[in-house]
Amino acid sequence: MKQVQTVEFEVEGQRESSSDAVRSPPDTDFAMSSGLGFVHQCSNPLIALRSPRHSIPIPARGLIVSRGVACRLKALKSVPNSDTVVVADESYGRKEVISVNPRLYDYLLANTREPKILRELREETATRHGSQMQVSPDQAQLLAMLVQIMGAEKCIEVGVYTGYSSLAVALVLPEGGQLVACERDAKSLEVAQRYYDRAGVSEKVIVKHGLAADTLKSLVQNGEASSYDFAFVDAEKKMYQDYFELLLQLVRVGGVIVMDNVLWHGRVADPLINDSKTISIRNFNRKLMEDDRVSISMVPIGDGMTICRKR
């Protein structure tokens, strides 16, 4: 058996221990391997991600399953697809949900329709510092689809970076459609505006350089409350609640606000991670769950998006 170092951690006041590898209990039908996980009970049950490459707990009612985690263990029986998320709570019917590993994500991207102009912007952005801030093609495709389904004409984006998501939205806006694009970094905006010009959508995009909160407040003060159809937020995480409150004033009833990075690289589900940004997103997610002003759907696309429909 592989010798490993055991570390202790605390979940909601309960001491637990974890290790890299443990021996499978004798009553199970498989041996320990790097691709299989183990189940242990804890005071804050989680869903378990079972994958040869990943081990990310996600909040839910159930049990923690993680690669090589030890704590009063019993093994989870293998399933046909080892790249799945399984809810241990039997009331969910032992439902297996696909976990996107690198191979499957490559397949997903290969089946994402990405206009040539967006591909060129993505490739240019990839050479820049901070390129990870750019949304993925599958995210942009979803945003554009939402705008089309809604028949949206007036949109807002908070956090433009080099313009990939805003360009995706502008490309599907109807004639006379409008997108207010809020970004504080001038150099990033230069790239975005160059691509708006190349794509022929500059007349649809109103660029607002500066702090997004100030821009949103000015829109409210100028009498534009309840006049926007769609908004997308991918900006300063500590400001999410402030952005959301302002956008709720600007978006009409039936309008949609999409919040990005709500899963925050899985950190929101890790009780050991408590940096200020992670805490901000956790708090925002919790408040949103209790907010009856909107209907919501959190979807695990990109770094997690929550789609909010104003009631």
Side-chain angles (χ1 to χ4, degrees), residues 32-108:
M32 172 62 186
S33 77
S34 64
L36 295 174
F38 290 89
V39 182
H40 66 92
Q41 296 179 337
C42 77
S43 58
N44 183 20
L46 306 176
I47 285 179
L49 174 64
R50 302 193 331 110
S51 167
R53 293 173 179 258
H54 303 281
S55 174
I56 304 172
I58 304 171
R61 294 183 178 274
L63 299 170
I64 293 179
V65 181
S66 58
R67 197 178 107 203
V69 171
C71 177
R72 297 188 295 280
L73 295 166
K74 67 178 181 178
L76 182 68
K77 292 182 182 295
S78 64
V79 291
N81 185 344
S82 63
D83 295 310
T84 56
V85 175
V86 181
V87 182
D89 187 333
E90 292 186 359
S91 68
Y92 289 91
R94 303 287 295 174
K95 179 66 177 178
E96 294 177 34
V97 183
I98 197 67
S99 167
V100 181
N101 60 28
R103 180 186 61 218
L104 187 57
Y105 190 58
D106 285 343
Y107 180 82
L108 189 155

Side-chain angles (χ1 to χ4, degrees), residues 180-228:
V180 176
C182 308
E183 175 58 50
R184 66 183 181 184
D185 183 68
K187 291 185 178 179
S188 296
L189 269 179
E190 289 175 5
V191 178
Q193 289 178 295
R194 175 156 46 87
Y195 277 87
Y196 298 153
D197 290 338
R198 288 186 54 192
V201 297
S202 292
E203 73 282 359
K204 297 181 182 179
V205 183
I206 300 173
V207 174
K208 297 289 187 178
H209 177 222
L211 296 177
D214 292 341
T215 297
L216 299 179
K217 289 174 185 176
S218 69
L219 293 176
V220 173
Q221 293 167 359
N222 290 339
E224 296 190 53
S226 300
S227 67
Y228 287 84

